[in-house]
């Protein structure tokens, strides 16, 4: 098992950059990948521009173990992701016979027009990812997974591809939440971080029901170490006369 | 007025990449900037890693007219954005006298510890952005605006900085929504896009109340042209026996 397995997520679509659409795929994919022991190192939101997609994809697939794209695989003129993936990776771009069959099973012959058949085009050699909702599939080519932008479909596709992923050691997360202000715990928390360099300790202030507080999130691949570090954090909170709201 | 003014948004924080936190700042900032005539060309979500922040910031500020960062300006050890901004841009990094005063007005002297005073550190010469909620300010240095990650605070800071921004021609959006499937309109829509190359036409399928449909979003700086193009789209929908659900 690799020590660390990484991924990059590319959200492709003008609608996210214009503020029209709130992306929901990054959060979902990041959470799922994390559970599988795959750490998302970076995400980029880019427009439907050929050169940008090509350059970004080539950077991402060279830099990370896995790349996931969402968006731009529908039937309309602005759906250029698949053609860009083929061009970026040097593959021919053609109708995938199995994808054509999937569309044929879904549409009446008279409705399966040229535009809809575009959704069956993939880089030649791609391995399809089933879409139980609207049938037009996603696909995998090398370490790149091409998914729909519609969150419901992206999620269904992810469920259908995740058995193909090989993660590293899963990153386990322990959260200790306190009613102390972030500024009160900052100094001793920094000292604890220094003592546990293998744990990524994040400090996230919150404001809930009129009450300020802070959640301290410990992330590492070593559960015993998380537990030990969480113990040190709880002691620190109590020594500052704070309350532990929850710990899990 | 510049023809096109662009921005890049950098979401800085491990919590977004681990799936713990759903980012809400990109959508807000993109919408606001769009209204001001500033087009978001790209957004990146990056971890709290010094080298990554420095390289990404230097790319972004060289490439786009404006850069907005969110996250990493609190008092704890994982808040490294400001130090990285100073390092990336070659500025000294020191306590900003006015930021110190803001914190002094908010905290009792005995509570204003060294960690909290870190929130008053900026690249030397930065112009502060007021934070009406928790007082620790954001700031502008050259074309870079450094904002908090907490959405409520990021929004308040944006309100307090937007008078400093100079946009280009505002991009106007016209939406025509129909009950036709995306695949039905794809071919004639592509023809309309070819006739109106200055308009960015996006096609967004939706599924609402058991009904499939598609929203066609026209974006350009020319309202008359949007209107003409929307007219052509409505004619196209009617010629295909579709209904126009709404147009605005």
């Amino acid at each position: 098992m690799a020590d660390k397995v990484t991924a990059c997520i590319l959200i492709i679509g003008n609608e996210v950059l214009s503020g029209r659409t709130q992306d929901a795929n990054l959060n979902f994919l990041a959470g799922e990948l994390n559970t599988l022991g795959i750490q998302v190192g970076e995400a980029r939101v880019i427009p439907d521009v050929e050169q940008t997609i090509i350059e970004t994809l080539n950077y991402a697939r060279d830099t990370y173990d896995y790349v996931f794209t969402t968006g731009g695989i529908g039937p309309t003129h602005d759906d250029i992701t698949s053609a860009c993936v083929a061009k970026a990776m040097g593959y021919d771009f053609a109708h995938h016979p199995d994808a054509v069959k999937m569309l044929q099973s879904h549409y009446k012959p008279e409705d399966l027009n040229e535009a809809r058949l575009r959704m069956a085009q993939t880089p030649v050699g791609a391995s399809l990812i089933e879409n139980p909702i609207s049938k037009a599939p996603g696909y995998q080519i090398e370490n790149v997974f091409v998914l729909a932008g519609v969150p419901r479909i992206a999620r269904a596709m992810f469920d259908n591809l995740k058995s193909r992923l090989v993660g590293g050691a899963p990153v386990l997360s322990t959260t200790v939440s306190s009613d102390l202000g972030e500024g009160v715990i900052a100094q001793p928390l920094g000292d604890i971080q220094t003592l546990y360099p293998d744990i990524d300790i994040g400090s996230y202030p919150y404001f809930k029901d009129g009450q300020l507080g802070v959640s301290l999130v410990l992330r590492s691949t070593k559960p015993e170490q998380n537990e030990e570090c969480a113990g040190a954090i709880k002691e620190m909170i109590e020594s500052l006369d704070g309350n532990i709201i929850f710990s899990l």
Side-chain angles (χ1 to χ4, degrees), chain A:
Chain A
M1 188 188 273
D3 195 41
K4 189 173 176 182
V5 179
T6 60
C8 182
I9 295 174
L10 305 181
I11 309 291
I12 302 172
N14 297 344
E15 69 278 20
V16 179
L17 292 172
S18 74
R20 179 184 183 275
T21 302
Q22 162 74 56
D23 166 68
N25 291 323
L26 169 56
N27 187 249
F28 169 77
L29 291 173
E32 291 283 318
L33 291 168
N34 193 62
T35 305
L36 297 171
I38 298 170
Q39 297 176 46
V40 178
E42 184 181 358
R44 296 192 183 185
V45 186
I46 57 173
D48 302 306
V49 171
E50 179 179 287
Q51 201 52 32
T52 306
I53 296 173
I54 289 175
E55 286 172 13
T56 308
L57 180 68
N58 280 337
Y59 157 79
R61 69 195 185 92
D62 286 349
T63 308
Y64 296 95
D65 296 314
Y66 294 113
V67 180
F68 299 85
T69 76
T70 69
I73 63 168
T76 53
H77 64 279
D78 55 335
D79 291 305
I80 63 171
T81 296
S82 285
C84 292
V85 170
K87 198 163 173 180
M89 298 176 70
Y91 287 91
D92 287 336
F93 186 56
H95 288 100
H96 191 298
D98 295 337
V100 172
K101 280 179 204 152
M102 290 172 182
L103 295 177
Q104 282 168 340
S105 76
H106 185 59
Y107 292 103
K108 293 180 214 151
E110 64 270 28
D111 289 342
L112 191 51
N113 57 23
E114 199 182 318
R116 282 184 167 134
L117 276 170
R118 280 188 67 210
M119 295 190 287
Q121 288 181 312
T122 68
V124 171
S127 161
L128 299 181
I129 301 166
E130 216 184 315
N131 165 1
I133 294 165
S134 55
K135 298 303 168 188
Y139 58 86
Q140 173 189 0
I141 183 92
E142 298 181 26
N143 64 337
V144 177
F145 294 81
V146 175
L147 311 181
V150 176
R152 218 161 56 100
I153 303 178
R155 285 166 194 222
M157 286 180 175
F158 189 82
D159 282 341
N160 285 334
L161 74 81
K162 66 184 175 189
S163 63
R164 305 184 195 177
L165 305 175
V166 180
V171 175
L172 301 166
S173 162
T174 306
T175 301
V176 180
S177 206
S178 156
D179 59 353
L180 292 174
E182 216 186 3
V184 176
I185 52 106
Q187 176 67 47
L189 185 69
D191 295 342
I192 292 173
Q193 173 70 85
T194 306
L195 284 176
Y196 295 93
D198 295 345
I199 302 182
D200 169 30
I201 308 179
S203 170
Y204 308 114
Y206 65 79
F207 187 79
K208 203 179 164 187
D209 305 331
Q211 176 68 49
L212 260 167
V214 64
S215 284
L216 304 172
V217 180
L218 289 52
R219 303 180 75 247
S220 87
T221 54
K222 295 170 185 156
E224 333 72 56
Q225 228 185 50
N226 270 18
E227 201 168 328
E228 190 184 310
C229 179
I233 285 177
K234 287 181 209 169
E235 274 179 38
M236 179 267 287
I237 290 169
E238 283 161 358
S239 77
L240 293 167
D241 294 327
N243 295 301
I244 292 155
I245 308 291
F246 70 86
S247 165
L248 52 85

